[in-house]
Amino acid sequence: MPGDLTVAVERLLTEGGVLTGPLVPYADTDRPDGPLDTSAAAITAVALLKLARVPGPHARTYARRAGAILERLVRDHLSEPRPGRPAGMLLDGCYDAPRGLAVRHELVWGDFFLALALAALTGAADLTQV
């Protein structure tokens, strides 16, 4: 990575809690009693999987953290099959917590990024092309 980008990535990862904070972040970091945001977690997992492809001392850490995030999402935040709703929807996404808009919902971008991350892990998607 170019120097400025490397610094930005390192800063985000260390100061943003991406590697040490909760696997599924709060929708509003100022409200730890508020809703989670699984779509943010799925997006983070894809970003970490992409970073893990860059050779360097932290690649395995990025991959492990992405795997832990995905495991949590799949284990705790997918819909169960029931009439009128299929299994496997990523629940607990949050569009706009301060306004209370689409809080604890299935969000299309959460489903997309979760599917992309899982496809990358199984070899069905190449993150260098997406």
Side-chain angles (χ1 to χ4, degrees), residues 2-3 5 11 15 17-18 27 41 46 48-49 54 58 65 68 74-75 89 97-99 106 109 113 116 120 126:
L5 183 56
R11 184 173 179 197
E15 295 176 18
V18 172
V46 170
L48 287 169
L49 289 173
V54 177
H58 304 295
R65 180 68 172 190
V74 169
R75 186 184 69 225
M89 294 170 25
R99 293 189 330 181
E106 178 209 16
W109 52 88
F113 281 97
L116 177 59
D126 179 357

Side-chain angles (χ1 to χ4, degrees), residues 3-80:
D4 290 343
L5 183 56
T6 301
V7 171
V9 167
E10 291 296 325
R11 184 173 179 197
L12 176 64
L13 292 173
T14 56
E15 295 176 18
V18 172
L19 296 176
T20 59
L23 295 171
V24 179
Y26 294 101
D28 182 346
T29 57
D30 292 332
R31 290 189 48 220
D33 60 329
L36 300 175
D37 189 356
T38 57
S39 57
I43 293 166
T44 298
V46 170
L48 287 169
L49 289 173
K50 285 181 169 243
L51 286 171
R53 297 183 51 80
V54 177
H58 304 295
R60 285 187 183 194
T61 301
Y62 302 153
R64 277 194 299 272
R65 180 68 172 190
I69 291 168
L70 294 169
E71 182 179 335
R72 175 68 53 85
L73 292 176
V74 169
R75 186 184 69 225
D76 296 338
H77 297 281
L78 294 184
S79 64
E80 297 290 330

